[in-house]
Amino acid sequence: STTRLGESQTTRTEFVSGLVIAAASSTLLTPQVAAARGRATLEQAYDRYVPRIIDGGAFYKNELYGAVAKGDWKAIELATQEPPKKSKSDRALADGGIARRAAMAGGFSDARVLAAMDLFASTFSESSISAKTKGMKAEVETLRTVVKSMQAAAVAAQSEGGGGLFAKKQSKSELAKEIQSLYVKGGNAYNQYCYLLNDGLPISLKKVPFL
């Protein structure tokens, strides 16, 4: 009886000791495991969103710049337009009309570019929102304002009266100056976003080019 009790106590002692050792090992490995998972998540998000961000930057620097420089209002309108809302015909398609609607989104629209920038910014936060994420998202919000204002200016320039953000009638020369100013503001916001994105980016991932 006494022998069994001693064996039982020894067994419990070994069991508790085993738990302590396992817990200590787990604690030591946690930062490494977390870092590995963090890198994997960042790489997956990079592959999913950054190509859209880079393509959007190239479009902004080339096609949109050309449209703004020439005062091609229709091209500016198309470049910044959002896709239409899902229709009944979309629901009948296998993908729910995602491909069709995506093709209708402008080259530098929220749906095609800014949403990807917003989602990728969130990758740099975990349990709480980091200063990096906040900074990147602030630049995205600036770009959203720029894109909406560009769209409104382009529509206003093609209409007889004002509309939307430009309720008061403005001449095309005034609208041209406004949209050029918006273009510069948006370019600065995009570059600042890229600066924040590239800061501390693992060397295994290619830095996003500035405009």
Side-chain angles (χ1 to χ4, degrees):
S1 173
T2 304
T3 302
R4 288 181 181 179
L5 179 58
E7 290 175 350
S8 177
Q9 289 175 333
T10 300
T11 301
R12 283 199 295 272
T13 300
E14 290 173 347
F15 177 70
V16 172
S17 298
L19 286 179
V20 172
I21 293 170
S25 299
S26 176
T27 301
L28 291 172
L29 290 173
T30 295
Q32 297 174 348
V33 172
R37 288 176 179 172
R39 284 195 299 272
T41 299
L42 178 60
E43 289 172 0
Q44 290 170 357
Y46 184 98
D47 291 340
R48 183 172 184 177
Y49 300 120
V50 171
R52 288 167 58 185
I53 296 171
I54 293 175
D55 287 347
F59 182 92
Y60 196 96
K61 183 179 180 179
N62 298 300
E63 286 89 342
L64 186 55
Y65 173 82
V68 169
K70 292 184 294 184
D72 188 337
W73 301 109
K74 188 61 180 177
I76 295 170
E77 179 188 359
L78 293 175
T80 56
Q81 75 177 3
E82 296 302 318
K85 293 182 179 180
K86 185 180 288 188
S87 65
K88 289 183 179 180
S89 58
D90 287 327
R91 295 188 180 90
L93 299 173
D95 67 345
I98 293 175
R100 185 188 74 83
R101 292 173 64 253
M104 297 172 73
F108 202 84
S109 59
D110 198 318
R112 189 180 291 274
V113 183
L114 304 187
M117 294 177 76
D118 209 5
L119 289 167
F120 190 62
S122 298
T123 308
F124 296 98
S125 291
E126 294 181 358
S127 58
S128 61
I129 301 176
S130 68
K132 180 168 183 168
T133 292
K134 288 179 180 178
M136 291 170 72
K137 282 181 172 287
E139 301 305 330
V140 175
E141 287 309 308
T142 296
L143 280 165
R144 283 199 167 107
T145 299
V146 165
V147 168
K148 288 178 182 177
S149 298
M150 279 187 167
Q151 172 76 194
V155 170
Q158 297 174 83
S159 64
E160 292 298 323
L165 297 177
F166 297 89
K168 183 180 178 181
K169 178 64 176 177
Q170 290 180 271
S171 67
K172 287 189 177 181
S173 62
E174 289 175 326
L175 288 171
K177 289 180 181 179
E178 178 69 23
I179 212 160
Q180 287 167 11
S181 177
L182 287 168
Y183 181 86
V184 172
K185 182 178 181 180
N188 288 335
Y190 182 91
N191 283 339
Q192 181 61 19
Y193 176 95
C194 291
Y195 171 79
L196 293 169
L197 185 163
N198 292 331
D199 185 34
L201 195 69
I203 58 174
S204 59
L205 300 177
K206 184 179 179 182
K207 292 184 181 298
V208 177
F210 298 108
L211 297 179

